[in-house]
Amino acid sequence: MKELAIITGGSKGIGKAFAEGFLKNNISVYLLARTQSELEKTQQEFQNKYPDLEIKIASIDATSQGDVEQVIDEEFSSLDTLYMINNAGVWLPFNKETFDEDLDSSMSINYESPKRIAEYALRKFDGTPKKLYLITNLSHIVFRDFPGNEVYKPTKMALWKATSSQEHQYWNRNNIFFYQIYPGVVASDFAVEEYKKGNFDAPTSLESLGDLVADLALNENPTNDVYIANFQKDVPELGLKKEDIQGITRIYLTKDFKPKEIQRINPEFDIVDWFEKN
């Protein structure tokens, strides 16, 4: 049985972490991103760690219609199971001088492209014996409000609505599965520095996201919607207290964003210590 994970924005950051989550579980990956040099660097790193698995790469802009679709077509005949990870995205801070331009470009990357790719994959796999796991990287901004996200939030809200509509349309298919991930702040140079300044919530580790995406695809889960973050405060929007969720925690959500199950992964996680070691 051939399984493959295709990951947009797969050369670094969250996409790279997602890829490693699959590789740890003996599933080959196909990494898509715009920068060839970054793809080649990641490919070599993974090939050294996972020599028995196939790591393919392609320099592709997910906003270019037909490019990701061509990769799906090329792999389709040999696949039994595809994990399609819509991860590529961009966060732009609010700037009143460039708001219209920023919103247009963000909508293209964060909403229009993943919606188009998902719809193509769904139509391709519908009515076949092949399995499709459609995994969408959203954001906790969908159900939480923070200043400075006037550009970012509308794009992720639009993608969430589109994904929900697709899930409703294909709900009775026994070969198509939907999963939505809502990460909090994720570790990067910028995020950790902003956290130190008190501007951002505590970031979660990249490894925690890689482990989550593999668990979603390969195991039974309380729900198909998961909020994961490094919690250091109450989350009033979900009625949760810090003492119940502190550290890296998965919160499995119902479709109306009510907590169904809480899994504390690393209650003692220290992002600054982790970042210095990585």
Side-chain angles (χ1 to χ4, degrees), residues 220-249:
E220 292 187 4
N221 302 280
T223 72
N224 293 356
D225 296 77
V226 191
Y227 176 18
I228 183 168
N230 179 16
F231 296 98
Q232 302 298 325
K233 302 175 183 177
D234 296 347
V235 183
E237 293 90 340
L238 300 179
L240 296 173
K241 297 292 185 181
K242 170 185 170 181
E243 55 266 26
D244 297 322
I245 56 175
Q246 186 166 7
I248 296 179
T249 298

Side-chain angles (χ1 to χ4, degrees), residues 119 135 149 154 161 167-168 177 221 245 258 278:
E119 191 59 46
I135 302 175
N149 284 287
K161 285 287 190 182
E167 186 172 10
H168 180 74
F177 310 90
N221 302 280
I245 56 175
K258 304 294 184 186
N278 287 272

Side-chain angles (χ1 to χ4, degrees), residues 119-239:
E119 191 59 46
Y120 186 83
L122 288 164
R123 292 178 182 178
K124 188 83 175 178
F125 280 78
D126 190 24
T128 77
K130 301 173 184 285
K131 291 183 179 180
L132 172 65
Y133 291 78
L134 184 63
I135 302 175
T136 305
N137 184 22
L138 289 159
S139 168
H140 66 158
I141 200 68
V142 168
F143 52 87
R144 303 193 70 188
D145 285 309
F146 300 97
N149 284 287
E150 291 85 351
V151 172
Y152 187 60
K153 179 160 185 167
T155 68
K156 287 296 187 178
M157 286 292 295
L159 180 57
W160 167 66
K161 285 287 190 182
T163 304
S164 298
S165 177
Q166 289 169 337
E167 186 172 10
H168 180 74
Q169 181 180 353
Y170 291 89
W171 70 271
N172 62 345
R173 310 306 200 268
N174 59 13
N175 68 318
I176 294 175
F177 310 90
F178 289 81
Y179 296 94
Q180 290 71 234
I181 300 175
Y182 306 84
V185 180
V186 179
S188 66
D189 292 353
F190 174 71
V192 172
E193 288 306 311
E194 290 299 305
Y195 167 65
K196 290 178 180 178
K197 296 175 186 176
N199 296 331
F200 277 13
D201 284 350
T204 191
S205 70
L206 291 167
E207 291 93 336
S208 68
L209 290 168
D211 292 341
L212 170 60
V213 75
D215 283 350
L216 282 178
L218 303 175
N219 301 298
E220 292 187 4
N221 302 280
T223 72
N224 293 356
D225 296 77
V226 191
Y227 176 18
I228 183 168
N230 179 16
F231 296 98
Q232 302 298 325
K233 302 175 183 177
D234 296 347
V235 183
E237 293 90 340
L238 300 179

Side-chain angles (χ1 to χ4, degrees), residues 60-72:
I60 280 177
D61 184 343
T63 64
S64 178
Q65 187 165 354
D67 287 0
V68 178
E69 291 89 333
Q70 182 176 345
V71 171
I72 295 172

Side-chain angles (χ1 to χ4, degrees), residues 15-86:
K16 181 181 176 183
F18 285 163
E20 185 142 31
F22 284 106
L23 290 167
K24 286 179 180 177
N25 286 275
N26 296 311
I27 295 173
S28 295
V29 297
Y30 203 136
L31 309 180
L32 311 180
R34 288 180 293 183
T35 306
Q36 182 70 21
S37 59
E38 291 177 349
L39 283 164
E40 291 174 353
K41 180 181 177 182
T42 299
Q43 182 186 41
Q44 187 60 58
E45 177 186 336
F46 283 157
Q47 207 69 76
N48 292 338
K49 293 175 71 173
Y50 307 98
D52 297 329
L53 294 174
E54 188 173 32
I55 295 101
K56 291 186 176 183
I57 60 172
S59 178
I60 280 177
D61 184 343
T63 64
S64 178
Q65 187 165 354
D67 287 0
V68 178
E69 291 89 333
Q70 182 176 345
V71 171
I72 295 172
D73 285 346
E74 289 172 355
E75 297 296 324
F76 182 78
S77 63
S78 65
L79 284 180
D80 296 292
T81 299
L82 173 64
Y83 305 95
M84 182 66 238
I85 320 301
N86 265 323

